[in-house]
């Protein structure tokens, strides 16, 4: 799934993304670390993997979108 980086705190390595429908979804440090990234800037296009649905939707991986 694709999304856009919305917030990122480099101290906690957590933040949030915006899904294409505008829904914000938070991610935690383990999801950020799983993608192997060192930094994330708001506005960057990212690829995410999730589990759950609706209120229990959780991001398990955040990485940069590549072609």
């Amino acid at each position: 799934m694709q999304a856009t980086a919305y917030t990122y705190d480099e101290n906690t390595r957590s933040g949030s993304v915006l899904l294409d429908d505008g829904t914000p979804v938070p991610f935690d440090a383990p999801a950020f670390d799983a993608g192997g990234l060192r930094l994330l800037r708001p506005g960057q296009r990212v690829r995410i993997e999730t589990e759950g649905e609706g209120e229990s939707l959780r991001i398990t991986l955040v990485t940069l979108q590549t072609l």
Side-chain angles (χ1 to χ4, degrees):
M1 178 183 303
Q2 295 182 26
T4 302
Y6 185 53
T7 64
Y8 175 68
D9 181 330
E10 62 183 279
N11 293 319
T12 63
R13 296 181 330 279
S14 62
S16 63
V17 300
L18 292 177
L19 302 181
D20 289 343
D21 67 2
T23 303
V25 181
F27 64 86
D28 54 15
F32 182 79
D33 293 344
L37 299 176
R38 296 191 305 169
L39 182 65
L40 190 61
R41 291 186 209 106
Q44 282 183 302
R45 198 69 175 151
V46 294
R47 184 178 69 83
I48 59 172
E49 291 183 8
T50 62
E51 63 183 26
E53 294 180 17
E55 293 292 318
S56 65
L57 182 68
R58 186 174 84 81
I59 295 176
T60 59
L61 175 111
V62 178
T63 191
L64 292 180
Q65 178 64 34
T66 59
L67 300 175

